[in-house]
């Protein structure tokens, strides 16, 4: 009886409710990519003979709060308005598919090899939208507050 009830509930739930929303996907991808980027920065410092420990100790929290979600929603809205919802969905899918590849890249190659800009949107617009929505400011603020920025600057001066 319990199995029949559970199956009935699952069948009655709309499939869309089970799907990840754009903002949920962007949040998950952003957290994963931030983790990858910080690891790549630390690896770069270590490869250049620097001390990675101060960086490891100051990695900023990548989890999203209301401010981050508002900025992410702003970005998704801007991208969809400048392109289309389906282009944004495609961008998110490509980002998701590329995560394993990104995790194995050197930081020097990331900028050249990765382009997730939705169809019809220029790189300049993408950077402006990120900036206008506050995603860049939030990231920089967290890096500053955690001490990661200072640790990175110190490691660069030591080399």
């Amino acid at each position: 009886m319990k199995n029949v009830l559970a199956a009935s509930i699952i069948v009655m739930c709309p499939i869309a409710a089970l799907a990840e929303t754009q903002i949920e996907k962007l949040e998950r991808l952003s957290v994963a990519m931030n983790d990858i980027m910080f690891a790549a920065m630390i690896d770069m410092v270590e490869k250049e003979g620097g001390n990675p420990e101060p960086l490891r100790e100051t990695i900023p929290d990548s989890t999203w709060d209301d401010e981050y979600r508002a900025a992410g929603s702003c970005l998704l809205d801007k991208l969809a308005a400048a392109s289309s919802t389906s282009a944004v969905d495609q961008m998110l899918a490509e980002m998701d598919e590329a995560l394993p590849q990104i995790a194995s890249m050197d930081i020097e190659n990331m900028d050249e090899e990765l382009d997730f800009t939705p169809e019809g949107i220029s790189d300049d617009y993408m950077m402006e939208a990120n900036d206008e929505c506050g995603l860049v400011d939030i990231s920089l603020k967290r890096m500053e507050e955690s001490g990661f920025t200072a640790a990175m600057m110190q490691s660069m001066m030591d080399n």
Side-chain angles (χ1 to χ4, degrees):
M1 182 67 168
K2 288 181 183 177
N3 291 339
V4 172
L5 181 58
S8 299
I9 291 171
I10 290 171
V11 169
M12 290 187 294
C13 288
I15 297 300
L18 301 175
E20 191 175 37
T21 65
Q22 281 188 338
I23 192 66
E24 290 168 339
K25 186 174 261 191
L26 182 61
E27 178 176 350
R28 180 178 53 76
L29 292 167
S30 171
V31 170
M33 287 186 165
N34 279 339
D35 291 346
I36 291 167
M37 289 298 291
F38 290 125
M41 293 164 112
I42 292 167
D43 286 347
M44 179 187 71
V45 165
E46 193 167 25
K47 285 177 184 173
E48 293 178 4
N51 180 5
E53 286 313 309
L55 294 169
R56 285 189 182 110
E57 295 168 4
T58 59
I59 295 173
D61 183 10
S62 295
T63 57
W64 279 27
D65 55 12
D66 290 341
E67 179 184 30
Y68 231 130
R69 278 184 205 91
S73 291
C74 171
L75 177 64
L76 291 172
D77 290 345
K78 284 184 175 290
L79 296 179
S83 184
S84 69
T85 300
S86 63
V88 174
D89 285 337
Q90 181 64 35
M91 173 195 75
L92 294 171
E94 289 171 4
M95 290 170 70
D96 208 4
E97 289 173 19
L99 275 179
Q101 174 191 358
I102 295 168
S104 65
M105 294 176 121
D106 285 334
I107 198 164
E108 294 88 20
N109 300 334
M110 285 183 183
D111 195 35
E112 298 168 6
E113 295 185 29
L114 301 175
D115 182 15
F116 299 115
T117 305
E119 184 180 323
I121 294 180
S122 70
D123 289 340
D124 288 339
Y125 182 83
M126 186 71 155
M127 289 176 17
E128 286 173 25
N130 270 289
D131 191 42
E132 287 173 13
C133 290
L135 287 167
V136 174
D137 290 339
I138 293 169
S139 295
L140 292 175
K141 179 181 168 188
R142 286 186 178 192
M143 288 172 63
E144 184 71 32
E145 288 174 348
S146 73
F148 190 86
T149 301
M152 180 60 97
M153 296 301 282
Q154 185 63 48
S155 74
M156 292 169 65
M157 289 175 31
D158 291 345
N159 287 337

